[in-house]
C-alpha cells in the first residue's frame, strides 16, 4: 500500500482521535494571548487619562457607561483589569498547554506502540535488511514527531501573538500599525536568509558529529581487536581527527549565530528607536505624510510595548518553528512507510495448520534473495517421514539455513511448495505454523530476566518442574544449578553473562518446553562441547519418533546418527542418505568426514570443496 500524503495519513490516523483536545488546547492558548495583550493597552490608556490628563478614559470595545467617572474608580478598574488579565492569561496558558501536551503524548504513544506492533509483524526478511532503519524509525523518528506537534502549537501561538498585537494596534491607530508592520516583515526576511545560510553548516555539524560517534563506537566495540593488534594510537589519531572536524564545523555555526544575534538585536533596537522618533514627531506636529489619525503618548507607549513583544515570535516563527515542522514532517515521511506493510502483515486470517505426525515435504522448491544473481535454493525436493532426524550439511553459504527458514516461512519459496502433514504451509496461518515448528538458532537471544523466564518464554505458565525437566533434556540443568540463584538467576545486561554453549542449551530447553511436533536446530549445538552435545543428542534420540528433527551442523558428529543426511551444494541436494551410505559414496560428505576425523589424506582434491574455514571449524 502506497500512501500519497504520509503526513496527512499519520495525522488522520493518530491525531484525529485526539482532535478535540488539540483544538481545545489551541483555543485556550489563543484566549491567553488576547488577555496577554490587555495590560499594554490599559497602561497606555492610564498614562493618557490618569497621569497626563490628556484624554478621557476609554477602552476599545468597552461601552463608556461601564467606565467609572472618578479617578479612584478608574484606577481601581485599571488595577483590576491588569490583575484579572494576568490571572486569566496564566490559567488559560497553563490549562491549554496541559491539554495540548497530553494530546501530543497520547498521539505519540499510539504512533510508537502501533509502529512497534507493525514492526514485529513484518516478515523477517524486512528485519534482516532494514533493522537499522527500523530501529532509528522507532527510536528517533517517533520522538522527532513531537517536533511536528510542538511546531504546530508554536505556529498557532506565535501567529496568535502577532495577530492579536496587530489587532489591538489597528484598533488604536491603524495608520501607525501599518508602519510598524514593516518591522516584523524585515525581521522575518532576515531570519529566513540567516536560516538558508546556516542550514548547510548545520548539515556539516550533523554529519561530523555522526562521524565522531561512529569512530568512538567502533573503537570501543572493537577494543579487543584494537588492543590485540596494538592499534590504540591509530584509533586515538582517528578520534582526534573526527573530533577536530566536528570542532571546526561547530565553530563556523557559532560565529554565524553570534553575527545573527547582533543583527537581530540591532534591527529590534533601531525599529523601536525609529518608532519612538516617528511617534514623538507625530505627537508634536500631527500626522506625517498622508496619515490622518492623531497619536497620544499613551498609545505610543502601547505600540512600543507591542513592538518589543513582536520580535521574538517573528524570529521564532521564521526559523525555529519552520525547522521544527520540517523536521517533524521528515520524520513522519519515514514513519509512514512502516505502515505501508501494515495491510499484508496484519492480515493472517488463513486457516490453522493441524500437525499430527510431523511429515515434512519440500517439492521442487526454488528460492532467491532479492539481490542474489543465482538461486539460493534450486529445485529442492525432500521427503521427511514423521519422527525422522534429518541432518543437513554443506559448505558455508550452500543454503542450509535458508532451506529451514522456508519451513518456518521466514521467507516464501519463489516456486515449489513446502507441506506439513500434506497441508501447504503457505495456505495456513503463520502463527499456527510456528506453534508447531520450534526453532533454535546458532546464536540464540536471551532476554533480560531470570533463567526460568527465559526457558518459559514461549509458555510463561509452565511450572518449575516442567522448566527443570526441559532444562535437563537440553543438558542445561547442571550448569544452571551452579548459578548463584539457580533458575532465579538474572540474565542479560545487568545480570549473569553466559557462554555461547550455555546460551544454546537454554535455547534448546526453551524449544523443548514449547513441545512442538517439528524441531529445527540451526547449528544449535555448535558452541557446546562434544561431551555435552552427545548428552543432548542422546536425549533427543530418546524423544525421536515423537517429533521430526532437522539439524544443520558443520560438526558431522552432530548429524551422524541422523535417519537421513542431506548434503547441500550451491543450493542443490547433491548427496542424500545415512552416514554410512554417504561415507561409502566418497563425495563431499565423505571428504568432510575424513577431515574431521583426521583421516584426511594430504592429496584431498580441491573439488571436494573443503575450505580452510571448514577445516578450522
Ligand atoms: N537475508 C539475506 N539476504 C540476502 N542474501 C542472503 C541472506 N541470507 C543469506 N543470504 C545468502 O544466501 C546464501 C545462503 O545462505 P545460508 O545462510 O542459507 O547458507 P548456509 O549454508 O546456512 O551458510 P552457513 O553454513 O555459513 O550458515 C549465502 O550466499 C548468503 O550470503
Amino acid at each position: 500500500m502506497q500512501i500519497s500524503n504520509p503526513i496527512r495519513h499519520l495525522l488522520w490516523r493518530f491525531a484525529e482521535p485526539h482532535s478535540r483536545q488539540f483544538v481545545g488546547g489551541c483555543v485556550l492558548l489563543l484566549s491567553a494571548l488576547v488577555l496577554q495583550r490587555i495590560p499594554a493597552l490599559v497602561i497606555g490608556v492610564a498614562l493618557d487619562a490618569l497621569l497626563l490628563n490628556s484624554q478621557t478614559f476609554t477602552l476599545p470595545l468597552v461601552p463608556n457607561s461601564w467606565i467609572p467617572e472618578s479617578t479612584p474608580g478608574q484606577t481601581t478598574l485599571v488595577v483590576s483589569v491588569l490583575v484579572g488579565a494576568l490571572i486569566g492569561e496564566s490559567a488559560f496558558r497553563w490549562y491549554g498547554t496541559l491539554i495540548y501536551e497530553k494530546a501530543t503524548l497520547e498521539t505519540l504513544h499510539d504512533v510508537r506502540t502501533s509502529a512497534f506492533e507493525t514492526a514485529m509483524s513484518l516478515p523477517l526478511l524486512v528485519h534482516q535488511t532494514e533493522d537499522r532503519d527500523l530501529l532509528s524509525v522507532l527510536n528517533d523518528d517517533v520522538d522527532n514527531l513531537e517536533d511536528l506537534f510542538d511546531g504546530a502549537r508554536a505556529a498557532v501561538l506565535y501567529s496568535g501573538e502577532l495577530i492579536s498585537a496587530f489587532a489591538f494596534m489597528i484598533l488604536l491607530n491603524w495608520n501607525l500599525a501599518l508602519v510598524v508592520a514593516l518591522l516584523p516583515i524585515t525581521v522575518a526576511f532576515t531570519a529566513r536568509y540567516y536560516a538558508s545560510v546556516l542550514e548547510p553548516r548545520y548539515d556539516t555539524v550533523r554529519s561530523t558529529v555522526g562521524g565522531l560517534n561512529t569512530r568512538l563506537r567502533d573503537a570501543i566495540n572493537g577494543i579487543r581487536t584494537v588492543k590485540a593488534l596494538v592499534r590504540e594510537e591509530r584509533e586515538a589519531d582517528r578520534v582526534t581527527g573526527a573530533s577536530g572536524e566536528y570542532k571546526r564545523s561547530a565553530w563556523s555555526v557559532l560565529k554565524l549565530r553570534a553575527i545573527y544575534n547582533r543583527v537581530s538585536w540591532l534591527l529590534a533596537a533601531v525599529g523601536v528607536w525609529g518608532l519612538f522618533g516617528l511617534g514623538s514627531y507625530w505627537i508634536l506636529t500631527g500626522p506625517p505624510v498622508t496619515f490622518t489619525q492623531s497619536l497620544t503618548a499613551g498609545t505610543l507607549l502601547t505600540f512600543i510595548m507591542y513592538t518589543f513583544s513582536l520580535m521574538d515570535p517573528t524570529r521564532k516563527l521564521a526559523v525555529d518553528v519552520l525547522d521544527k515542522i520540517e523536521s517533524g514532517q521528515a520524520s513522519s515521511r519515514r514513519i509512514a512507510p512502516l505502515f505501508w506493510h501494515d495491510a499484508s502483515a496484519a492480515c493472517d486470517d488463513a486457516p490453522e495448520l493441524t500437525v499430527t505426525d510431523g511429515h515434512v515435504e519440500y517439492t521442487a522448491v526454488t528460492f532467491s534473495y532479492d539481490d542474489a544473481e543465482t538461486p539460493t535454493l534450486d529445485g529442492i525436493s525432500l521427503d521427511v517421514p514423521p519422527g525422522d532426524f534429518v541432518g543437513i550439511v554443506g559448505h558455508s553459504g550452500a543454503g542450509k539455513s535458508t532451506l529451514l527458514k522456508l519451513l518456518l516461512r521466514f521467507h516464501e519459496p519463489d516456486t515449489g511448495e513446502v507441506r506439513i502433514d500434506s497441508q501447504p504451509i503457505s495456505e495456513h496461518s503463520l502463527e499456527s505454523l510456528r506453534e508447531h515448528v520450534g526453532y533454535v538458532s546458532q546464536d540464540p537471544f536471551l532476554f533480560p530476566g531470570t533463567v526460568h523466564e527465559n526457558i518459559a518464554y514461549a509458555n510463561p505458565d509452565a511450572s518449575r518442574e516442567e522448566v527443570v525437566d526441559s532444562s535437563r533434556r537440553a543438558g542445561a540443568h547442571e550448569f544452571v544449578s551452579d548459578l548463584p540463584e539457580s533458575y532465579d538467576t538474572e540474565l542479560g545486561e545487568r545480570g549473569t553473562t553466559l557462554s555461547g554453549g550455555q546460551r544454546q542449551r537454554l535455547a534448546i530447553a526453551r524449544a523443548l518446553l514449547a513441545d512442538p511436533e517439528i524441531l529445527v536446530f540451526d547449528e544449535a549445538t555448535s558452541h557446546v562441547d562434544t561431551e555435552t552435545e552427545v548428552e543432548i543428542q542422546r536425549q533427543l534420540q530418546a524423544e525421536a519418533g515423537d517429533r521430526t528433527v532437522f539439524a544443520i551442523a558443520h560438526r558431522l558428529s552432530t548429524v551422524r546418527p541422523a535417519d537421513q543426511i542431506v548434503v547441500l551444494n550451491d543450493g542443490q541436494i547433491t548427496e542424500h542418505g545415512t552416514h554410512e551410505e554417504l561415507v561409502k559414496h566418497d563425495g563431499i560428505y565423505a571428504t568432510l568426514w575424513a577431515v574431521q576425523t583426521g583421516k584426511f589424506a594430504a592429496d584431498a582434491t580441491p573439488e571436494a570443496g573443503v575450505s580452510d574455514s571448514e577445516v578450522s571449524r
Side-chain angles (χ1 to χ4, degrees):
M1 180 179 53
Q2 285 282 325
I3 295 169
S4 58
N5 187 335
I7 297 161
R8 201 171 58 205
H9 167 85
L10 273 190
L11 290 182
W12 183 252
R13 178 162 168 189
F14 295 103
E16 198 271 340
H18 308 287
S19 57
R20 283 178 56 180
Q21 286 122 293
F22 280 121
V23 173
C26 287
V27 168
L28 284 174
L29 288 169
L30 287 174
S31 311
L33 289 180
V34 175
L35 291 173
Q36 184 195 3
R37 293 297 168 208
I38 288 176
L41 181 87
V42 174
I43 287 171
V45 171
L47 178 73
D48 284 337
L50 301 177
L51 297 182
L52 301 177
N53 256 334
S54 59
Q55 297 279 315
T56 49
F57 195 109
T58 53
L59 287 171
L61 306 176
V62 178
N64 281 342
S65 58
W66 292 13
I67 293 176
E69 283 175 12
S70 67
T71 307
Q74 291 172 352
T75 310
T76 312
L77 177 68
V78 168
V79 174
S80 315
V81 169
L82 289 182
V83 172
L86 190 69
I87 294 175
E89 185 210 331
S90 306
F92 283 0
R93 208 180 263 274
W94 166 74
Y95 198 52
T97 308
L98 213 63
I99 294 182
Y100 191 96
E101 290 198 338
K102 186 158 184 257
T104 304
L105 279 181
E106 279 172 3
T107 307
L108 293 181
H109 169 79
D110 293 348
V111 173
R112 188 175 288 114
T113 49
S114 194
F116 179 71
E117 275 169 27
T118 310
M120 293 303 277
S121 68
L122 292 179
L124 201 70
L125 193 56
V126 178
H127 282 278
Q128 281 175 343
T129 51
E130 296 175 22
D131 250 4
R132 267 168 178 267
D133 294 344
L134 278 179
L135 261 186
S136 115
V137 165
L138 292 172
N139 268 340
D140 308 330
D141 288 323
V142 174
D143 285 344
N144 248 5
L145 199 60
E146 202 170 351
D147 281 351
L148 193 62
F149 294 99
D150 280 354
R153 183 183 51 173
V156 170
L157 266 182
Y158 296 140
S159 324
E161 286 193 33
L162 290 178
I163 292 168
S164 62
F166 271 101
F168 280 112
M169 285 198 273
I170 288 168
L171 271 179
L172 288 172
N173 187 323
W174 67 266
N175 287 173
L176 189 55
L178 275 184
V179 180
V180 170
L182 291 176
L183 200 57
I185 294 173
T186 317
V187 170
F189 272 111
T190 319
R192 277 321 302 162
Y193 173 73
Y194 161 75
S196 69
V197 179
L198 195 66
E199 241 151 54
R201 299 190 191 199
Y202 262 133
D203 284 345
T204 318
V205 172
R206 273 192 288 267
S207 86
T208 51
V209 85
L212 175 60
N213 285 342
T214 310
R215 281 265 167 265
L216 290 171
R217 198 189 51 225
D218 289 350
I220 299 292
N221 284 347
I223 190 70
R224 283 191 186 78
T225 312
V226 173
K227 282 190 174 298
L229 298 173
V230 204
R231 305 308 277 168
E232 290 95 333
E233 216 169 289
R234 181 162 163 268
E235 288 306 320
D237 285 347
R238 286 168 134 190
V239 168
T240 308
S243 179
E245 273 179 41
Y246 168 62
K247 188 179 72 179
R248 279 187 289 282
S249 61
W251 178 234
S252 89
V253 166
L254 282 180
K255 279 191 295 190
L256 198 65
R257 197 187 291 159
I259 293 173
Y260 173 70
N261 284 345
R262 286 303 86 206
V263 169
S264 62
W265 182 85
L266 265 180
L267 266 180
V270 169
V272 173
W273 296 342
L275 176 62
F276 182 70
L278 177 70
S280 307
Y281 176 80
W282 199 313
I283 293 167
L284 295 175
T285 64
V289 210
T290 55
F291 294 127
T292 51
Q293 287 182 294
S294 61
L295 186 69
T296 65
T299 307
L300 178 60
L301 178 63
T302 306
F303 265 73
I304 289 176
M305 287 165 84
Y306 281 158
T307 307
F308 261 126
S309 72
L310 288 181
M311 296 302 176
D312 208 33
T314 311
R315 254 196 325 256
K316 286 193 172 142
L317 207 53
V319 181
D320 300 353
V321 173
L322 281 186
D323 280 358
K324 275 198 166 195
I325 292 181
E326 271 170 21
S327 137
Q329 282 178 330
S331 290
S332 54
R333 272 193 287 273
R334 282 190 292 270
I335 296 170
L338 184 61
F339 296 107
W340 294 353
H341 298 283
D342 204 332
S344 57
C347 144
D348 192 10
D349 47 11
E352 295 222 338
L353 185 81
T354 331
V355 182
T356 43
D357 304 330
H359 180 192
V360 178
E361 295 160 276
Y362 285 72
T363 318
V365 168
T366 304
F367 172 79
S368 302
Y369 287 103
D370 280 346
D371 49 359
E373 283 169 13
T374 51
T376 306
L377 295 175
D378 189 5
I380 301 283
S381 291
L382 184 64
D383 188 350
V384 181
D388 251 21
F389 175 17
V390 185
I392 299 177
V393 299
H395 301 305
S396 187
K400 304 181 291 295
S401 299
T402 308
L403 179 73
L404 294 185
K405 282 177 182 163
L406 296 189
L407 180 59
L408 281 129
R409 281 184 62 200
F410 288 155
H411 312 301
E412 303 285 351
D414 298 333
T415 58
E417 195 171 60
V418 183
R419 292 163 172 262
I420 295 181
D421 287 349
S422 307
Q423 307 153 89
I425 58 172
S426 58
E427 292 170 16
H428 293 79
S429 84
L430 263 182
E431 209 177 307
S432 63
L433 168 72
R434 289 178 193 163
E435 270 166 20
H436 295 293
V437 185
Y439 177 72
V440 187
S441 71
Q442 177 178 15
D443 198 10
F445 189 80
L446 297 181
F447 293 91
T450 62
V451 173
H452 178 105
E453 286 162 353
N454 266 289
I455 295 177
Y457 184 74
N459 183 5
D461 298 328
S463 67
R464 176 57 59 97
E465 287 69 36
E466 289 169 315
V467 167
V468 173
D469 177 54
S470 48
S471 166
R472 271 187 214 285
R473 288 186 285 149
H477 180 68
E478 205 171 311
F479 86 80
V480 173
S481 306
D482 288 342
L483 291 175
E485 288 173 65
S486 187
Y487 285 86
D488 295 319
T489 307
E490 284 285 336
L491 302 177
E493 269 176 38
R494 270 172 276 158
T496 304
T497 312
L498 299 181
S499 72
Q502 290 170 328
R503 293 213 321 264
Q504 284 187 330
R505 278 176 274 169
L506 287 194
I508 294 172
R510 182 192 277 167
L512 292 177
L513 183 67
D515 198 25
E517 287 80 359
I518 300 166
L519 257 180
V520 171
F521 289 152
D522 189 347
E523 292 203 58
T525 50
S526 56
H527 298 315
V528 174
D529 60 77
T530 319
E531 220 172 293
T532 314
E533 188 186 28
V534 169
E535 178 56 20
I536 296 172
Q537 261 172 16
R538 208 178 51 72
Q539 290 289 352
L540 289 180
Q541 271 168 330
E543 297 182 38
D546 291 344
R547 71 179 105 234
T548 311
V549 179
F550 290 84
I552 296 177
H554 280 282
R555 192 156 65 194
L556 298 186
S557 58
T558 311
V559 294
R560 184 179 178 171
D563 299 301
Q564 47 175 316
I565 296 171
V566 172
V567 183
L568 273 184
N569 195 21
D570 288 339
Q572 295 181 332
I573 298 179
T574 49
E575 291 166 39
H576 188 190
T578 60
H579 169 80
E580 285 69 28
E581 286 164 356
L582 294 180
V583 168
K584 271 193 211 131
H585 176 69
D586 206 18
I588 294 176
Y589 185 89
T591 313
L592 290 173
W593 180 251
V595 170
Q596 292 187 10
T597 51
K599 292 181 193 141
F600 183 59
D603 61 355
T605 55
E607 296 86 75
V610 184
S611 65
D612 284 351
S613 64
E614 274 147 359
V615 173
S616 65
R617 273 175 189 264

